[in-house]
Amino acid sequence: MITQMLFRTHDKKVLWFAFGILLAAIFVPLSNLLLSDGNPLHVPDHLVPLLGKYLSYALLALALDLVWGYCGILSLGHGAFFALGGYAMGMYLMRQIGPRGVYANPLLPDFMVFLNWQELPWYWYGFNQFWFAAVMVVLVPGLLAFVFGWLAFRSRVTGVYLSIITQAMTYALLLAFFRNEMGFGGNNGLTDFKDILGFNIQAGGTRATLFAATAISLALALLLSSAIVKSKYGKVLVGVRDAESRTRFLGYRVENMKLFIFTVSAMMAGVAGALYVPQVGIINPGEFAPANSIEVVIWTAVGGRGTLIGPIIGAVLVNFGKSVFTAAFPEFWLFALGALFVATTLFLPKGIVGTFQQFAKNRDELKVAAAKEHAYQAQSAKSAGDDAIVSAHTQAAE
Amino acid sequence: MYRTIQIFLVALCLIISALATGVRAQENIRPLVDALGTGGFPQKIEAVEALAASGDPKVGEILGYLNDGKLYAPKTGGAVFLEADGGGYADVLTGAAVTDVPSNLAKIRLNNGLRGAIGAALSQLTLLSPDRGARYAAAQDLLKDANPENLDLLNTALAKEADAEIKATMEAARAVILLKTDASFEDKKAAIDTIAARDNRDAVNILNAAFSSAPADLQPAIQAHIDSINRSLAVWDVVQNIWYGLSLSSVLLLAAIGLAITFGVMGVINMAHGEMVMLGAYTTYVVQQTISAAAPELTNFSLAFAVPAAFLVTGAIGVAIERSIIRWLYGRPLETLLATWGLSLILQQTIRTIFGPTNRQVDNPSWMSGTFDLGGMSITWNRMWIIVFAIAVFFALLLLLKRSKFGLQMRAVTQNRRMASSMGIRTPWVDAFTFGLGSGIAGMAGVALSQIDNVSPNLGQNYIIDSFMVVVFGGVGNLWGTLVGAMTLGIANKFLEPYAGAVLGKILILVLIILFIQRRPRGLFALKGRAIEQ
């Protein structure tokens, strides 16, 4: 029954794609842990967290696609939600270090000791519990998105203006988190993590598990997004994207619909950040930089916005390209990224997946048209034949 | 031939006579110098004073040697020699190496009395120096470190001083010294009035310091002066804050005004706008380098060449960008945002490849460096000129839009493209030149910013968000809105800074703008009508 429901509520392609991601969640850790180095199917140790990083970026891009591709909200501040989720996870990891820090203070993280703080700020309480941190990972970005979205959508800030103020939001957070007085490690951020849930964060097993967790989260998020998009609500959302005023005139509360999707998307971004931090091992204010948020937009645009699979492919492809380029020609990465932006907007406005879909759709339409044409020709040939017979008859009658 | 020899001979005579006078002047003070090596400390102090009184330009240097313990003399007294840098001895006056020195040379030793005499002599030399700058600096040193020992010297200098500013400083220093001595009540009261007349923070500090040690019947007068100065200082603080705010506003205005055209008028979100500013700054650098290499005498006026050059360079790049990229993206503002952001990355990396990632040094011309005082605040010339420049650019642009044919066409195309096209306006070229104009103004902003900021590949990024804030806050499509937006944000920022700190102040401004946009989603000066709803 569950399978039936799955198939009814989701696109078949999305289902297969989610299935593929789940396969990766099984294959990568197993091959990393079980196969020997020489085996061609072996995934080397350094690749596991790298792939995990790509997938958490993919989750972030998917979150952006929900609001941009399906609701037309171009958020240039999604990096902020990502970073907030990351900081929530980072705070948990920081408190797991305990007395093993450089200053061996059982309660205060190193940077607080360094700044001569005497006690833990109130907002660090509870982060020694994983469940609390996990709640915060979705709650903090969700709350920020809710308040921000409530203010913005209610007063009908749309389009470009919304993009610019989301950018201002992440910029303001960037400036705030750079301050040492904020109590989040200032410039250096949070790092030097040791354990997660009692497991050594550097250990192969932990890394493999983290990768699996990321892949599973991505697959679940994909199914969730697909369910949202396929629902009636999702259809109206597309209506908001394409003709906001008309949708409003039809009686829908557009601002509430936008607020819901914006908040859900921010929570997803927060989860992405939380998965990113333990695999990369650091979170710092640089994640709030407006440029980072804009880069997420390009992943989504390259893959194809408005297609759930596109952003995932885009994020992985672009970041893989970045890894290759920055290693081989560090000078040229910015040229490549910039050219990618320009070329995508000029030549691939629908992105890779979108263009492919368009292509397939055109081909199908052509087929249908050809079939129709064929049928029509057959019909007209037949009727022509009939006419001929009729005229022959009339002639004969005369 | 004969003539050449004649000239040569005349020149030779001149040189010899010059040398002779030099030697003569040196020989005049030689006995005074040699006196440094004879007798006990009291005699040496006398010798120092005599040297200082001689007024010879070499005296300062010689006293410096003495102070550093570089002078040697025979224990029994006699000629003084200078310890040469590479070992051995040299003549004190000429600096020439000397080999036949007496065998019983010893360092001339100093005690505190002698050091004091040297210090006094040195300050006397500078206080009486014919160079105005040296005298002013000496007077200010004396004001900062008022030592009663210098009172006599100061009185001598005061009697000779003609420059009003230096004289005022010296009188203040004298007043400060008087407060420390046991002068009469009237003298001290007059001294307090003299100090209070300076009406600045230093005066408050001096009066505060004098307050506790002053006699009881003088204290109310001091307190009254302190209060009155503090009141006027508070007023000047506000004025100074407004000035700083205006200065920041003018920078914001320059950075944002080009954006007001591309974003406000054309509806194109140009994320590469900051890079146009950066290119303008680099153009200034290149122009300055070229001019100082080709025509050094024009270096001071290189900005006059840089402004049009930056306008043309960035304007041309703007036209090229519009023709190649933007024109395919009209009506899709979010796409222009992405494409121009990609472009900004490419431009940044190009500049980094050509000029390297480090800052480039652009020099201020002499007429833009230094400060001048206005009432209780000091104003730097470069900020002053940037404000003037920003206002000039603003009104020139306003004039261009309202009075020129191009401005008319531009507004026509913005308001109704198809109608404008029907009237025979070549709309594609108007688009291209409008974008070029916006970029060119950004380039001119870069010239101004190169005078106060580091010229580096990410110069533009520091201004892009602020510029967008100004345009969005002021209301799109309205130059006056941009002006008011820049002024409001700049001044608000400077008034928040003392309470919240620079970073927190900026965060507060951002949050306030985000909240403000909730109230007025179209900015302060919103255009009204249906056309904008799209």
Side-chain angles (χ1 to χ4, degrees), chain B residues 255 259 270-282 314 340 344 347-348 439 442-443 445-446 449 456-465 467-468:
Chain B
L259 205 64
N270 184 11
M271 294 296 273
H273 184 79
E275 276 57 47
M276 295 297 151
V277 175
M278 179 266 286
L279 287 176
Y282 272 94
T314 53
T340 49
S344 80
L347 289 174
Q348 272 180 46
S439 304
L449 290 186
S456 71
N458 31 9
L459 165 77
Q461 297 218 304
N462 303 336
Y463 292 97
I464 188 75
I465 292 184
S467 311
F468 270 116

Side-chain angles (χ1 to χ4, degrees), chain B residues 277-292 299-307 310 355 358-369 382 386 443-457 459:
Chain B
V277 175
M278 179 266 286
L279 287 176
Y282 272 94
T283 311
T284 316
Y285 168 73
V286 171
V287 167
Q288 201 172 69
Q289 294 292 319
T290 317
I291 286 184
S292 62
T299 310
N300 232 348
F301 304 99
S302 78
L303 285 188
F305 300 93
V307 170
F355 293 95
T358 48
N359 292 344
R360 291 287 151 169
Q361 185 61 42
V362 173
D363 300 325
N364 285 349
S366 61
W367 48 273
M368 274 187 86
S369 44
N382 59 358
I386 286 173
M444 296 205 294
V447 180
L449 290 186
S450 73
Q451 296 298 316
I452 51 169
D453 206 342
N454 297 324
V455 177
S456 71
L459 165 77

Side-chain angles (χ1 to χ4, degrees), chain B residues 72-81 89 98-106:
Chain B
Y72 287 76
K75 282 194 182 109
T76 51
V80 172
F81 295 94
Y89 297 95
V98 183
T99 43
D100 52 337
V101 293
S103 55
N104 57 348
L105 275 188

Side-chain angles (χ1 to χ4, degrees), chain B residues 81-331:
Chain B
F81 295 94
L82 171 66
E83 183 187 20
D85 285 337
Y89 297 95
D91 188 280
V92 182
L93 293 173
T94 58
V98 183
T99 43
D100 52 337
V101 293
S103 55
N104 57 348
L105 275 188
K107 188 181 277 184
I108 300 180
R109 295 197 306 159
L110 298 161
N111 72 352
N112 278 344
L114 189 51
R115 279 207 186 86
I118 294 172
L122 283 176
S123 34
Q124 179 183 0
L125 284 175
T126 40
L127 265 186
L128 299 174
S129 154
D131 177 38
R132 182 185 178 280
R135 257 177 12 244
Y136 191 40
Q140 276 176 326
D141 280 349
L142 214 57
L143 179 59
K144 260 183 225 134
D145 177 32
N147 192 341
E149 282 178 18
N150 291 331
L151 189 57
D152 293 338
L153 170 60
L154 197 55
N155 283 333
T156 325
L158 254 176
K160 284 187 185 168
E161 189 57 59
D163 188 291
E165 198 176 354
I166 301 177
K167 196 162 188 168
T169 315
M170 285 180 175
E171 268 167 358
R174 184 169 170 273
V176 177
I177 292 174
L178 274 182
L179 282 183
K180 290 184 180 172
T181 59
D182 45 358
S184 68
F185 179 80
E186 273 68 33
D187 281 353
K188 280 198 172 183
K189 184 141 185 10
I192 288 168
D193 291 340
T194 313
I195 296 168
R198 288 180 72 76
D199 207 17
N200 60 16
R201 221 168 290 279
D202 290 342
V204 175
N205 291 340
I206 294 168
L207 289 177
N208 270 329
F211 186 76
S212 52
S213 61
D217 43 356
L218 208 54
Q219 281 182 351
I222 297 181
Q223 191 59 49
H225 278 309
I226 292 178
D227 290 346
S228 117
I229 296 178
N230 274 338
R231 269 195 302 279
S232 80
L233 278 182
V235 174
W236 278 114
D237 270 354
V238 173
V239 177
Q240 180 97 58
N241 265 340
I242 293 178
W243 173 256
Y244 284 151
L246 277 179
S247 153
L248 177 65
S249 303
S250 66
V251 171
L252 286 179
L253 179 67
L254 276 174
I257 196 162
L259 205 64
I261 293 177
T262 49
F263 178 47
V265 178
M266 302 182 78
V268 171
I269 313 207
N270 184 11
M271 294 296 273
H273 184 79
E275 276 57 47
M276 295 297 151
V277 175
M278 179 266 286
L279 287 176
Y282 272 94
T283 311
T284 316
Y285 168 73
V286 171
V287 167
Q288 201 172 69
Q289 294 292 319
T290 317
I291 286 184
S292 62
E297 67 276 10
L298 287 177
T299 310
N300 232 348
F301 304 99
S302 78
L303 285 188
F305 300 93
V307 170
F311 181 81
L312 290 178
V313 168
T314 53
I317 295 176
V319 171
I321 292 173
E322 201 279 344
R323 287 284 85 192
S324 58
I325 298 175
I326 306 287
R327 69 162 159 158
W328 309 106
L329 301 173
Y330 281 116

